[in-house]
Amino acid sequence: MPGAAGLGRRAQTPQPTALPLQGPTDRQQLIIELVAQGLTNREIAESLGTSDTAVKNYVREIFLKVGVRSRLELALWYEEQVHQGKSVADESPSVPM
């Protein structure tokens, strides 16, 4: 059967690109902080005056940029940056080699 070989296979998790990336933009930094505070996409959208879809897209791009897969991992990453006294904007994303 055509396409049957792909059945039962787990979808690939998107990986960060191997290209050098800059740290999060100002807007992304703000969204990271709001995610770390536990806000939902809808709450973030309302506070920024944008749509849920726009926030969802920002969050997806942030995940790829900093190399995390969930909001929890993003919040932990953010707290680690704060604890180490680093600016989130100055951080180079972790890109697996």
Side-chain angles (χ1 to χ4, degrees), residues 13-90:
T13 302
Q15 296 296 317
T17 66
L19 301 174
L21 299 173
Q22 295 181 6
T25 65
D26 291 343
R27 185 77 156 187
Q28 290 172 336
Q29 289 176 60
L30 178 57
I31 291 172
I32 290 168
E33 291 172 14
L34 296 173
V35 167
Q37 291 174 21
L39 274 66
T40 65
N41 286 355
R42 176 170 288 154
E43 292 168 333
I44 294 170
E46 289 173 3
S47 73
L48 299 178
T50 190
S51 70
D52 294 2
T53 303
V55 173
K56 181 179 177 181
N57 290 335
Y58 272 112
V59 171
R60 181 179 39 231
E61 289 299 316
I62 291 166
F63 282 6
L64 291 172
K65 192 173 267 194
V66 302
V68 299
R69 295 182 187 173
S70 71
R71 295 171 83 87
L72 175 59
E73 286 182 13
L74 181 60
L76 293 171
W77 177 86
Y78 172 75
E79 290 301 322
E80 179 181 346
Q81 303 311 306
V82 171
H83 179 70
Q84 293 177 359
K86 296 180 182 176
S87 167
V88 175
D90 296 338

